[in-house]
Amino acid sequence: MNWMDLLRMSSSNLRRRKLRTFLTVLGVVIGTASIVVMISLGLGLQQAMYQEIEQYGGLTTINVSGANGEGDMMMYSSMGDSEEASEEYVDDACLKKLAQLEHVTSVEPVYSMSVMLLKGSYEGYMQLMAMTPEGLASRNIELSEGTLPPKNSGQIELVYGNMTLVNFQQKGTGASYWETGELPDIDLAKDSLFLILDQDSYYASQEQSPMDISAGDEEGGEGGQSNKPVQKHVVRGCGLVKGGVDDYNANCYYIFCDLDTLKQVLKKEFAGRVIPGQPQTKNGKPMKEFCYSYAQLKVDDKDNVSAVANTIKEMGYNVETNAEMMDSVNRQMGIIQAVLGGIGAVSLFVAAIGIANTMMMSIYERTKEIGVMKVLGCSLGNIRGMFLMEAAFIGIFGGIIGNILSLLMSVAINGLTANSEMISTGGADISYIPVWLMLASIGFAMLVGIVAGYFPAKRAMKLSPLEAIRNG
């Protein structure tokens, strides 16, 4: 008896008992769908993390900060708690030294400072990120409209994060979007806003009357502080980060501008004074060199990140990378996927019991048929193969239908959570089903079917032909 004959007999036996076959396949469907959906949730979270890390520069990026620096929030510090803080500063000389290191392909400075935006009765506290055009391009900022800030334009132009509006609040009351649920009446794409770089002077001016400010101007101020009216820079938006006010991503809260333009404005406004975020001498005077918050390095290969990071640490700087964080994420996600997969595997284990039960019942009902096959010379291997093939068919059919059900459930889950405020994945799907998972689940379902049908098949092989015919 060849394999085609076994195939026809197996499929015929399954069709003869349609209801029993359907219920057994249904158990495999539920088990397969449970495993795939559970694992897809873990994969979805992992994909969301990968996308967010890519927005922060990926695995080949190193952030180097000095005594006054503060790295990107997403970055994982490779400095141990016992190590001393850096006494070096990230200035132009430092950038040149970093650019000469082996495996370093680019070095871009970043300057970050806290600023205020004013519009009518609204004021907003923002984090301004000033970068070169090359640095902004490497950040992979997706814009819904507009362009990145032009280089050295002489006037500050801003790219607004998609969640910028939620940082505005009413003057006096402090009411914001989080309390009222209403966004301020500001069109970031069209409206001009006032930008406050010197917040200390702004707060001081709010506590003084116009006569106090006039008197302070005549006396030249106290303690070296100027009491001139705070400078309000008129700024316009040149671009908007893609996404709604509830869509979290790596760039959603920041506002961006050109670094060279900001440096010119800061040096002019703070002439003779210390620029916010800049180091100062022991006498409280501004230092000669402009220092950046941190430098963003690109390494030619992720395998070289650790060596380059160690070299930079030996130079006396603080180092932050995404590579170590990625390893930690992979370990955590592996545990999550194992737990979720284990929960789904329980359903498939129950389905395996159903397959075994179906095969055993089939043997009892087909005892005479088995005896006749043995008398006619059918080998024990053929009898075993026939029952294992039936069990494999149940696993394959259940796996295929279970994957179809999984895809439908995944679409439904992603649709329900797309606009959820409780779950934020940065625009990524919370359920992600790759092709390999579908193929692996079908193969696993088939394997479960074969294993479940093995013992019933072995029992069928041991039946005596004469007794089977007489008692069948």
Side-chain angles (χ1 to χ4, degrees), residues 56 63 70-75 139 254 294 296 320:
Y56 279 95
N63 281 2
E70 48 184 35
D72 228 330
M73 290 186 298
M74 187 71 179
M75 288 290 189
R139 199 174 173 90
Y254 295 119
Y294 61 95
Q296 193 173 75
E320 299 172 336

Side-chain angles (χ1 to χ4, degrees), residues 155-178:
Q155 184 176 0
I156 297 176
E157 297 185 46
L158 302 176
V159 168
Y160 296 106
N162 54 288
M163 298 184 73
T164 297
L165 286 177
V166 304
N167 286 335
F168 281 94
Q169 59 188 33
Q170 286 278 359
K171 294 180 181 178
T173 64
S176 67
Y177 168 77
W178 304 114

Side-chain angles (χ1 to χ4, degrees), residues 118 121 123 143 157 176 187 189 294 401 415 453 465:
L118 306 177
S121 61
E123 60 183 11
L143 300 179
E157 297 185 46
S176 67
D187 188 342
Y294 61 95
I401 300 173

Side-chain angles (χ1 to χ4, degrees), residues 290-325:
F290 188 91
C291 298
Y292 306 101
S293 301
Y294 61 95
Q296 193 173 75
L297 275 69
K298 279 287 186 180
V299 181
D300 55 7
D301 191 274
K302 64 180 181 181
D303 294 333
N304 297 323
V305 168
S306 179
V308 174
N310 289 332
T311 300
I312 297 173
K313 283 192 289 183
E314 292 174 0
M315 295 167 60
Y317 296 96
N318 299 324
V319 175
E320 299 172 336
T321 71
N322 280 328
E324 294 180 3
M325 182 176 183

Side-chain angles (χ1 to χ4, degrees), residues 114 153 429:
S114 178
S153 63
D429 291 336

